[in-house]
Amino acid sequence: MGILHTAMAVSDLEATKAFYESLGFEHTKDFKRPGDDVRNYFVGTGSGGELQFRYDENREEPIDPSGIDHLAIGVENVDEEVDRIVDETDCPVVTEPTTIDAVDTRVAFIEDPDGYVIELVEQS
């Protein structure tokens, strides 16, 4: 048993794709179920589970990311990645890069286009 994917509603599929591509994710598959207008677009990094973006162009209610606290992604250098991602996507930085000495880890938190919080993790 293992985690296959996490599904997230998104309001702008193109902006979401660009944001996650800047994090190193690549398109793996996409589909619409017969009779359903929701596009299911999957991305992954080749390390296991995928993210599924559910895009409904007819959706009227705003996206509410409050059910997900954050998504953690491993990176080589948090400081460089925050600078690069902000330059490429102009995303908000929730928490600037900081070191958690107790676990010898450097982290930063940013937001994707719908307000989902992404934790960038650099482990020593």
Side-chain angles (χ1 to χ4, degrees), residues 43-111:
V43 297
T45 61
S47 64
E50 298 173 305
L51 297 177
Q52 174 187 2
F53 304 128
R54 295 183 42 80
Y55 174 66
D56 181 354
E57 63 185 28
N58 299 316
R59 183 185 181 111
E60 295 180 11
E61 65 273 4
I63 302 297
D64 180 11
S66 65
I68 295 177
D69 185 72
H70 69 273
L71 171 68
I73 298 173
V75 298
E76 292 290 320
N77 184 303
V78 165
D79 299 86
E80 290 176 4
E81 286 301 306
V82 168
D83 290 342
R84 183 186 63 76
I85 294 164
V86 169
D87 284 345
E88 288 181 16
T89 68
D90 199 31
C91 70
V93 176
V94 177
T95 304
E96 294 288 339
T98 186
T99 301
I100 304 171
D101 292 323
V103 289
D104 198 23
T105 301
R106 191 152 174 78
V107 301
F109 292 85
I110 58 177
E111 282 186 4

Side-chain angles (χ1 to χ4, degrees), residues 17-70:
K17 287 166 41 177
F19 178 83
Y20 284 91
E21 286 170 3
S22 78
L23 293 173
F25 284 80
E26 295 180 358
H27 174 249
T28 58
K29 61 183 169 266
D30 64 282
F31 66 90
K32 284 186 180 179
R33 291 187 182 122
D36 189 354
D37 289 334
V38 175
R39 182 169 176 196
N40 296 278
Y41 188 93
F42 289 75
V43 297
T45 61
S47 64
E50 298 173 305
L51 297 177
Q52 174 187 2
F53 304 128
R54 295 183 42 80
Y55 174 66
D56 181 354
E57 63 185 28
N58 299 316
R59 183 185 181 111
E60 295 180 11
E61 65 273 4
I63 302 297
D64 180 11
S66 65
I68 295 177
D69 185 72
H70 69 273

Side-chain angles (χ1 to χ4, degrees), residues 11-21 89 112-113:
S11 62
D12 181 336
L13 184 57
E14 294 307 312
T16 299
K17 287 166 41 177
F19 178 83
Y20 284 91
E21 286 170 3
T89 68
D112 83 355

